[in-house]
Amino acid sequence: LVPVVVRSGARYIKNLDEEDFPLLVDGRRVRIESFEQRAEAPASVMVLQDLSGSMGNGGNIELSREAVRFFLDKALPGDEFAVATFASGSMQVEVPFTAEIPVVREAIQGWKAWGTTALHDAVAAMPSISSEGHNPKRFAILITDGVDNASRITPEQAREMVRQAQLPVYVLGMDSGNPFELSTEGKKIYRYADVLNLLATTSGGRYYPISG
């Protein structure tokens, strides 16, 4: 995916067509397989929800539902959503990609926190699930507190798999904190924030620490 924004001075340039853009790979021109105009192009959005036991604290499951409802309310024509959850070493696709928003709303009502956390294993599975989307514009929303106590692969391995798939991941860190905040002794205060922030930034997404 090659997102492009064109400006002249402070003005954004609109109404450009596919013919206006040569696409080169290693100096050789290649065919553009799909060309979508404007940010309103339909997107395939994957939501990955952490349902492990630690997410049962502080009302984080209900806050997660509220976050997903926010994105569903903002859906544009042609957008589609898939919902996957993980806990106790298992991952489940609860809703394959669909444009039927009521189906997604119903699915998130049954969320309950339980079991151990295999966050990085679940992150590594995101590219294969996202590839089932029907729109060229794809990204993922990960909602988690960042705890991991059961993964078989490392955070570095998971990040690399997502990066190679060119899947932007936007991370909502539930009470996971600021990765740059230090104690008076100069030590990191939030132990999981760095991992979540690295996943987001290396994939082309963004990390948002959520509190309340």
Side-chain angles (χ1 to χ4, degrees):
L1 300 179
V2 186
V4 176
V5 175
V6 182
R7 293 198 310 180
S8 175
R11 184 172 64 94
Y12 288 97
I13 305 300
K14 301 181 179 180
N15 302 319
L16 296 174
D17 296 317
E18 180 177 339
E19 291 74 21
D20 296 312
F21 296 90
L23 179 62
L24 308 180
V25 176
D26 294 332
R28 181 175 301 176
R29 186 160 183 165
V30 297
R31 183 175 65 88
I32 297 175
E33 295 182 0
S34 175
F35 185 84
E36 299 281 355
Q37 289 182 316
R38 306 196 309 169
E40 289 78 10
S44 294
V45 184
M46 175 193 171
V47 177
L48 178 59
Q49 174 67 42
D50 184 351
L51 291 185
S52 60
S54 61
M55 284 288 288
N57 302 323
N60 281 338
I61 293 298
E62 184 52 43
L63 289 173
S64 298
R65 291 193 189 97
E66 186 176 340
V68 175
R69 293 188 194 108
F70 172 86
F71 291 110
L72 296 177
D73 290 342
K74 298 291 184 181
L76 299 172
D79 285 350
E80 60 177 6
F81 291 83
V83 176
T85 59
F86 65 95
S88 280
S90 65
M91 181 171 174
Q92 178 181 355
V93 179
E94 296 190 357
V95 181
F97 278 105
T98 179
E100 299 296 325
I101 301 299
V103 174
V104 183
R105 292 187 187 277
E106 182 177 355
I108 68 176
Q109 284 302 113
W111 285 351
K112 293 181 181 180
W114 63 286
T116 57
T117 314
L119 170 61
H120 309 310
D121 290 353
V123 167
M126 285 198 298
S128 63
I129 298 173
S130 177
S131 67
E132 299 296 321
H134 302 92
N135 295 316
K137 182 180 177 182
R138 299 177 298 124
F139 60 92
I141 300 170
L142 168 63
I143 307 176
T144 180
D145 59 6
V147 176
D148 189 304
N149 49 33
S151 283
R152 292 166 293 179
I153 69 171
T154 66
E156 293 79 9
Q157 290 172 321
R159 284 197 299 268
E160 181 61 17
M161 294 173 73
V162 171
R163 188 192 65 79
Q164 288 185 2
Q166 299 183 13
L167 176 65
V169 180
Y170 294 85
V171 181
L172 304 186
M174 312 305 288
D175 291 320
S176 53
N178 183 342
F180 307 110
E181 190 170 343
L182 303 177
S183 68
T184 53
E185 293 80 21
K187 297 181 179 180
K188 297 276 188 180
I189 295 178
Y190 299 101
R191 58 184 297 195
Y192 303 115
D194 267 338
V195 171
L196 298 180
N197 184 53
L198 280 170
L199 170 63
T201 55
T202 58
S203 69
R206 189 171 174 184
Y207 167 64
Y208 297 90
I210 304 298
S211 179

